[in-house]
Amino acid sequence: MISLNRDELKLCAFNIRDKIVFYFDKNGVVRTINYADIDKHPEIKGLSYKFNGGYSIDFWKVHFNILGRVKFKVLKMVLDRITEGDSIDDMELYINTLYPKSFEDKEKDELERFICRIYRPEFHRLPENTNKKTFDFITIEASILSNEAMQNRDAYLRQNIKEICSKLVKKVEKSSSFQKYGIPVSCLRASEITFHKKIDVLKVVFELKQVI
C-alpha cells in the first residue's frame, strides 16, 4: 500500500489542468488558483519555471517518489479524479484503489452494453417426443443495440457472435427449467442463429450435441 507524506505535501502543487493549478493547502485540502496568479503565491511549492515563461510540475517524481511502484495509468486516473475540496487522504485512497481496466474488461463492458436484454429461454420437444422429462432444443432471444445507437453494429455482431452465444448459454444454465434436466451446458451446441434487424433481436437455437 502506498502511503503519502502529509507534511511534505502541504502547500505543494500537484497538477495543472486547463490553466488551473491544483495544490494542497496548509490543512492538506485541495485548493486551486488561476495559472496567471502563480506569482502571487510564493508559498506554493512544486512549481518549476520554464524558459518560455510557463510553469511545470514534476510532482510524482519529486514529492511522492512513487514512480515505478504505481502504474502511470493509475497516476493519470488520480489526477483526473481529484478535485477541489478533496484531501491528501482522498488522494492516497485513489492511488491505492483505482486500477485501469484491462483490455479484457473493456471488451466485457462493451459486450454488456451491446446486449440490452436476454429473455427467458424456452424449451421445446418435437411432436414425436412424448417424454415430458426431456427437450429437443432450446430457443433464447436477446435484444441488442440498434444500428442508430452503434456504428458498425452488424460487424460487431459478426465478430463477437461466439462471446454473445456464451452469454446466452450462461442465461440458460441459470434457468431453473434447465437445471431440472440435470445435464451440463457443455452438452449444448448452437445449431441456428437468426438476427431480426427490424426489431434488433437475436435468436439462437441450442440443441443437444450428438453422441458418437
Side-chain angles (χ1 to χ4, degrees), residues 4-202:
L4 302 181
N5 187 321
R6 269 81 176 152
D7 292 332
E8 182 183 84
L9 296 180
K10 291 177 181 179
L11 295 177
C12 181
F14 62 86
N15 194 22
I16 298 176
R17 190 166 70 219
D18 298 326
K19 294 189 176 181
I20 299 295
V21 178
F22 291 74
Y23 71 100
F24 293 110
D25 66 13
K26 61 182 180 180
N27 297 313
V29 177
V30 177
R31 304 299 181 192
T32 61
I33 57 170
N34 202 299
Y35 190 81
D37 296 329
I38 291 177
D39 291 340
K40 300 176 184 178
H41 296 273
E43 75 278 7
I44 297 177
K45 305 174 292 183
L47 292 161
S48 300
Y49 184 78
K50 298 193 296 185
F51 291 110
N52 63 3
Y55 290 87
S56 64
I57 295 176
D58 200 8
F59 177 70
W60 299 102
K61 187 178 295 183
V62 176
H63 298 283
F64 278 177
N65 193 27
I66 61 174
L67 285 178
R69 292 194 288 155
V70 178
K71 292 182 179 180
F72 176 76
K73 288 183 179 180
V74 173
L75 303 184
K76 186 177 184 304
M77 290 169 66
V78 171
L79 287 179
D80 290 340
R81 176 72 66 87
I82 201 82
T83 189
E84 190 168 11
D86 285 341
S87 66
I88 296 175
D89 289 341
D90 292 318
M91 180 172 277
E92 185 175 274
L93 177 65
Y94 294 155
I95 289 173
N96 287 291
T97 58
L98 289 177
Y99 301 95
K101 290 185 176 180
S102 65
F103 179 74
E104 291 78 12
D105 288 337
K106 289 181 180 179
E107 280 193 327
K108 182 179 179 181
D109 287 348
E110 189 173 34
L111 191 61
E112 292 288 347
R113 188 177 75 87
F114 183 76
I115 302 174
C116 301
R117 180 181 178 184
I118 301 176
Y119 297 92
R120 182 181 299 176
E122 297 181 357
F123 298 80
H124 306 271
R125 286 182 289 112
L126 295 173
E128 58 271 22
N129 183 359
T130 59
N131 188 348
K132 295 183 179 181
K133 295 182 179 181
T134 63
F135 67 89
D136 292 298
F137 61 95
I138 304 168
T139 60
I140 185 168
E141 295 181 340
S143 59
I144 64 174
L145 287 179
S146 66
N147 203 38
E148 291 76 19
M150 182 180 187
Q151 292 183 344
N152 303 319
R153 188 272 311 270
D154 293 355
Y156 181 87
L157 175 61
R158 290 193 297 271
Q159 293 168 4
N160 295 274
I161 190 62
K162 183 176 179 180
E163 290 75 16
I164 293 169
C165 285
S166 294
K167 292 278 291 182
L168 300 186
V169 164
K170 289 181 180 178
K171 179 74 172 183
V172 171
E173 185 177 27
K174 293 179 181 179
S175 167
S176 59
S177 297
F178 178 76
Q179 292 173 3
K180 71 181 183 181
Y181 294 108
I183 61 173
V185 289
S186 58
C187 293
L188 301 177
R189 68 178 184 89
S191 61
E192 184 180 335
I193 299 174
T194 308
F195 178 44
H196 302 282
K197 287 190 176 183
K198 289 185 178 180
I199 56 175
D200 304 315
V201 169
L202 179 73

